[in-house]
Amino acid sequence: MLATTAPVEQVLAVVAAAAGVLVGAGSVIAAARQAKRAAEAIRRASSSTPDGAIAALNLQALGDYVYETLGRIPVADYASNPSARRDVTGALEEIERFLDDASEGPQRPMQLDTEVAAARRALANGDVWQALARLRTAIEIDLRERARRNDLDVPERAGAGRLLRALVESKALPLDASGPLDYAIQVANRAVHGEVVPVAQADEAIYTASRALGVN
Amino acid sequence: MRALQVGDVLDLAAAQSSDAEDRLEKLFEWDFERTMTTVRLLFAAAGSLLVALFAALFREHAVIETWQVALIGGSSGVLALVGAVLLRRARLAHREYIAALQLLNAARPLGPLLARYLAERARRR
């Protein structure tokens, strides 16, 4: 049979078969692997939230969540899958609220002096971002407690800056405390947003805030 | 060839450059061009195989077995099918581009934070 066939057709048949099989199998395998990776990334994003990373006040945890959990989703799936899109945009909005100090207050019970001590430890370890994020939380804890004591109606999502303004307006905070706290909140906000804050300035912010809060 | 991921758009937000949209457009243009080049190659290969097959079939005194016709025709079909799938993907690129633009805008406020994280990660490595 083959002997009666012209060699050019034989060669063509073999080349065609090889090309077809290679391209076909390669495409199917690549598409299957890509689909599997995309499904895993979407599942991981839908089963997790940035809450843990935000509560940890840890830049690495937050960045890892953004890049390793959200970042692995293919743009094609982000565009075509409404659930994946909702998860990504929802998580980004939640992180943005945290940066803007407009997220809900700490979910776990926190002590003012413990947080200030943690901020000092973080600064001693060279982690300016965490130090100032913790300082901001510490200030928020104190101001929220003062607002509660003074029966001030403040929203759940009010951050340290907003609480400070509300307390100053209602004269529930002495002026000599509001200035240093305002300064510390501003420095902390800059750092939390990602701006580079020198260690000396972070140290100064922690020192002034500690004095204003009455924490040793 | 790795598909464009959300992380790539976040990288653009982290770069905080004023021409991030242009860069994103470039990324999609490259991706589109790459896909279209592959599509053209696949359709050309499928067409060449069919032309060669018809030439062999209609040539005088040529003897070609049925299995050879099926093999060449089948391979041509597979190549064309893969090309068609890629072409469909390329046609969806516009929708993906719009979604990526929206994602870039949503990620912009986090730009400095992401840049700081990436700098710290690079320092650790």
Side-chain angles (χ1 to χ4, degrees):
Chain A
M1 298 262 261
L2 276 175
T4 59
T5 310
V8 66
E9 279 82 23
Q10 278 186 38
V11 172
L12 189 60
V14 170
V15 170
V21 166
L22 278 177
V23 172
S27 303
V28 168
I29 290 169
R33 286 171 69 177
Q34 210 164 315
K36 190 181 167 207
R37 274 201 297 265
E40 274 172 14
I42 291 169
R43 188 179 41 76
R44 212 170 41 237
S46 76
S47 63
S48 60
T49 65
D51 293 347
I54 290 173
L57 295 177
N58 184 310
L59 179 62
Q60 191 184 335
L62 199 54
D64 285 348
Y65 170 79
V66 171
Y67 273 97
E68 303 303 323
T69 303
L70 306 178
R72 301 270 186 212
I73 297 175
V75 170
D77 291 271
Y78 173 82
S80 63
N81 185 331
S83 155
R85 200 169 180 153
R86 216 172 24 247
D87 291 336
V88 173
T89 48
L92 293 180
E93 280 167 9
E94 197 172 334
I95 295 169
E96 193 186 342
R97 276 197 296 275
F98 159 70
L99 297 187
D100 293 340
D101 204 14
S103 52
E104 279 181 33
Q107 298 300 305
R108 60 194 163 94
M110 286 174 161
Q111 293 292 318
L112 174 63
D113 45 2
T114 312
E115 278 305 300
V116 173
R120 286 188 183 128
R121 267 199 311 277
L123 190 65
N125 292 331
D127 192 344
V128 175
W129 190 89
Q130 182 170 168
L132 291 174
R134 289 204 180 277
L135 177 69
R136 195 176 75 170
T137 306
I139 295 171
E140 190 185 326
I141 292 168
D142 182 76
L143 297 183
R144 197 171 286 282
E145 178 56 25
R146 282 176 201 253
R148 193 189 59 77
R149 281 201 307 263
N150 287 280
D151 289 327
L152 272 183
D153 189 22
V154 284
E156 194 62 39
R157 287 189 186 279
R162 200 162 158 194
L163 287 166
L164 182 75
R165 280 192 300 276
L167 285 162
V168 169
E169 276 165 22
S170 62
K171 298 189 172 34
L173 190 72
L175 275 175
D176 59 341
S178 67
L181 289 180
D182 189 33
Y183 167 75
I185 292 167
Q186 282 182 37
V187 173
N189 277 338
R190 276 174 35 218
V192 170
H193 273 88
E195 229 179 273
V196 176
V197 171
V199 174
Q201 195 176 19
D203 193 30
E204 188 188 18
I206 293 174
Y207 175 74
T208 36
S210 304
R211 283 187 56 138
L213 296 171
V215 176
N216 292 318
Chain B
M1 161 167 100
R2 184 173 76 82
L4 202 64
Q5 294 180 339
V6 165
D8 299 317
V9 180
L10 296 176
D11 279 341
L12 281 178
Q16 299 169 74
S17 95
S18 54
D19 64 346
E21 282 94 348
D22 295 339
R23 291 191 197 186
L24 187 66
E25 194 179 334
K26 210 66 169 170
L27 270 178
F28 272 89
E29 273 175 14
W30 283 337
D31 195 45
F32 182 77
E33 276 308 312
R34 215 168 37 188
T35 308
M36 287 311 289
T37 305
T38 314
V39 168
R40 281 185 211 108
L41 278 173
L42 287 167
F43 280 142
S48 305
L49 284 174
L50 278 185
V51 168
L53 178 64
F54 283 121
L57 281 174
F58 294 112
R59 204 169 59 198
E60 254 184 288
H61 311 301
V63 180
I64 184 160
E65 302 287 338
T66 313
W67 68 268
Q68 289 175 328
V69 174
L71 204 57
I72 297 170
S75 297
S76 172
V78 169
L79 292 173
L81 182 69
V82 175
V85 170
L86 287 179
L87 185 64
R88 186 179 163 274
R89 210 200 108 193
R91 290 175 72 168
L92 294 174
H94 183 70
R95 192 182 65 177
E96 289 174 23
Y97 171 64
I98 302 287
L101 262 183
Q102 289 169 344
L103 174 62
L104 177 65
N105 284 330
R108 265 186 204 283
L110 309 185
L113 179 83
L114 298 177
R116 179 92 190 263
Y117 163 74
L118 292 175
E120 299 256 325
R121 193 171 72 175
R123 199 169 49 82
R124 276 198 309 272
R125 281 180 181 169

